[in-house]
Amino acid sequence: MGISPIQYRPWKGARSAQNLRVYVILRSVFKHGLKSTGVKILLILGVFFVFSFQLTSVVFSPHERLEADEMRSNLDAIVLGIFAVLLAAVVTSDLISEDLSSNSFVLYFSRALKARDYLAGKAVGALLIMSLMCAIPPLLIAVIGTVTQSGDDYWYSLKVIGRTALAGALATVFFVPYGIMMSSFTRRKSYAAVGTFMSFFVLTIIASVFSEFASAPEWSVISPFDSLAFSFDWIFGVALEPGVDKGALAAFLALFIIVPAVVVYVKITRQAVGK
């Protein structure tokens, strides 16, 4: 009996679109995160401790319109920041480290997948989870505050809703790039989670030391929690603390978000080409 040689047969199916591959990664990260017990606990506790009283107050307190300063007071940047950094540490800890540990990059980049698409899927999936604590609850409070107002100045309330959306977006994005960068430095997700959490508090301690002993309050902008609080003040039009420079604050925010993103992109690009 003869042996039939295996011949090449061209695949006649339709190639999947590039954005569909990003969506697959995004969906995987989002679903995996929501299945985590730690993520569920942090989301429930964070939303309850940060926003439950504010939501009740907005519903039952009479108000003519949604005031910017009151909406700012509803966003406790320190408490929100603590829960957000814990959530970011859990969500981002295994985004890159798990792929490094399992050598999954061979599977990812064996297809026509670019480093930016890989990172986009990972980052957007993490951002969606972060938005469940940092963006959606305050926006919901702002919308309810507008719906239940007794006055007719809805234009002002809509502008406050826009400021709330901006503040929520900043809080959502603020913690993710740094967490992903820490995840790209190690194959152990526990190291990445602890490194992310401790880094934020180390910066806070350094800022506190320099602000007190050097009598330079501008150093407080390098504290992630203080810089987030100052940013909320700035967004809602509340006066910043004396000595806090808006230019320095904007520079720190940009560096804290952009530099980690660039570092991760370079590392993943090098990993994709086998360096």
Side-chain angles (χ1 to χ4, degrees):
M1 181 177 64
I3 300 177
S4 299
I6 300 175
Q7 297 180 352
Y8 171 76
R9 295 180 180 179
W11 183 56
K12 298 180 180 179
R15 293 181 178 272
S16 60
Q18 196 77 14
N19 55 357
L20 182 60
R21 300 172 192 178
V22 175
Y23 171 73
V24 170
I25 299 173
L26 179 160
R27 184 182 62 182
S28 176
V29 171
F30 185 73
K31 292 177 65 176
H32 175 73
L34 292 185
K35 288 180 181 179
S36 168
T37 303
V39 170
K40 293 178 182 177
I41 292 174
L42 286 171
L43 284 174
I44 294 171
L45 292 179
V47 171
F48 177 79
F49 283 109
V50 180
F51 299 109
S52 60
F53 175 77
Q54 289 83 346
L55 179 59
T56 304
S57 177
V58 166
V59 172
F60 293 102
S61 298
H63 54 280
E64 291 189 0
R65 65 180 186 179
L66 183 66
E67 298 290 347
D69 55 347
E70 291 182 5
M71 195 60 220
R72 167 62 186 94
S73 66
N74 290 332
L75 286 171
D76 189 335
I78 303 302
V79 179
L80 175 61
I82 292 174
F83 277 104
V85 71
L86 286 170
L87 181 62
V90 175
V91 171
T92 63
S93 61
D94 61 348
L95 291 186
I96 309 296
S97 61
E98 192 172 86
D99 293 337
L100 289 172
S101 177
S102 61
N103 292 321
S104 299
F105 288 107
V106 177
L107 298 177
Y108 277 113
F109 298 111
S110 61
R111 303 191 66 179
L113 185 70
K114 297 180 180 179
R116 66 185 183 190
D117 300 322
Y118 168 84
L119 286 175
K122 296 280 187 176
V124 175
L127 289 172
L128 288 176
I129 298 175
M130 293 295 296
S131 69
L132 298 177
M133 177 188 292
C134 300
I136 295 178
L139 192 59
L140 180 63
I141 291 174
V143 171
I144 292 176
T146 302
V147 172
T148 57
Q149 72 180 37
S150 58
D152 57 359
D153 192 359
Y154 289 100
W155 175 244
Y156 180 85
S157 298
L158 285 174
K159 289 191 290 185
V160 176
I161 290 178
R163 295 185 179 189
T164 304
L166 180 59
L170 175 61
T172 299
V173 175
F174 187 68
F175 300 94
V176 170
Y178 192 89
I180 296 178
M181 181 183 71
M182 296 300 294
S183 180
S184 71
F185 286 154
T186 178
R187 295 174 180 267
R188 300 282 297 273
K189 68 176 184 179
S190 57
Y191 293 168
V194 173
T196 300
F197 180 77
M198 293 304 298
S199 296
F200 280 90
F201 282 94
V202 168
L203 285 174
T204 300
I205 293 172
I206 293 174
S208 177
V209 169
F210 276 94
S211 296
E212 280 193 35
F213 293 98
S215 297
E218 59 269 16
W219 277 97
S220 58
V221 299
I222 70 170
S223 165
F225 304 112
D226 287 338
S227 64
L228 192 62
F230 297 149
S231 301
F232 288 170
D233 290 339
W234 192 2
I235 290 172
F236 285 100
V238 179
L240 299 180
E241 291 187 10
V244 177
D245 182 71
K246 292 182 179 179
L249 176 60
F252 175 77
L253 292 174
L255 290 173
F256 200 78
I257 294 172
I258 294 174
V259 171
V262 172
V263 170
V264 175
Y265 177 77
V266 172
K267 288 180 64 65
I268 297 304
T269 301
R270 292 174 62 86
Q271 190 75 33
V273 297
K275 292 186 179 181

